[in-house]
Amino acid sequence: MSEYVCVASNGIPPDESWTVKLHVTFEPIVIPQNSILEHRRGSHVRLVCNVEAWPRALVNWYHNDIELFDSNKYSTEQAVIEKYKSVHILEIKELQQDQFGVYKCIAGNDYGSHFAEIRLIETSWRESNSVVLTEG
């Protein structure tokens, strides 16, 4: 996908030029930044999906197959990185027990759809005030 310029010259001025923009249309490809995340209850979590598509894809987030919308628990944002690349973020504002599980980032355009799964699990370690020293 780019802009191409064709220049015709026969040695007699003026030269002629034409510009053509080539757009390659394709179905979305979704790549999660991490496929498994570990967090503690009460923490702030950001799930990230990178999407490539043209035309740009509409992206929706799901948790355990239920669509998520901006609310007091969740917020979404997106940024266009390049013409056909974008980053989509789901923020969980204060992680609760019922929010662990599988999240899906589903992207679709006129040419198809694709999704990625992100598994959010509760961390098994506990914070402590002890200091751990390792050798080496």
Side-chain angles (χ1 to χ4, degrees):
M1 244 188 310
S2 189
E3 191 172 286
Y4 296 88
V5 178
C6 176
V7 178
S9 176
N10 62 3
I12 301 171
D15 293 344
E16 287 288 326
S17 66
W18 296 270
T19 301
V20 176
K21 291 181 182 180
L22 176 64
H23 293 281
V24 178
T25 56
F26 59 98
E27 68 184 46
I29 300 166
V30 181
I31 303 162
Q33 189 174 52
N34 295 295
S35 55
I36 300 175
L37 290 172
E38 283 188 69
H39 282 275
R40 290 189 325 261
R41 278 184 250 170
S43 62
H44 180 90
V45 180
R46 291 170 60 94
L47 309 179
V48 180
C49 280
N50 298 293
V51 177
E52 297 182 13
W54 190 261
R56 283 195 199 107
L58 176 63
V59 175
N60 296 304
W61 287 91
Y62 292 80
H63 175 239
N64 296 332
D65 296 323
I66 298 170
E67 188 171 4
L68 303 175
F69 299 96
D70 287 353
S71 67
N72 61 342
K73 290 183 174 185
Y74 301 101
S75 66
T76 58
E77 60 182 86
Q78 64 183 21
V80 175
I81 303 303
E82 292 180 29
K83 180 175 253 180
Y84 62 92
K85 293 181 180 181
S86 57
V87 175
H88 301 266
I89 299 168
L90 174 69
E91 286 191 49
I92 303 171
K93 299 175 183 176
E94 188 175 333
L95 186 58
Q96 301 300 314
Q97 180 63 39
D98 64 340
Q99 292 174 304
F100 292 104
V102 176
Y103 287 81
K104 281 186 184 177
C105 175
I106 302 177
N109 66 12
D110 291 342
Y111 297 94
S113 66
H114 189 244
F115 72 91
E117 290 186 347
I118 300 171
R119 183 172 303 279
L120 181 58
I121 58 177
E122 189 169 8
T123 188
S124 58
W125 57 271
R126 302 247 185 246
E127 283 188 329
S128 70
N129 293 330
S130 61
V131 176
V132 177
L133 299 175
T134 58
E135 195 175 323

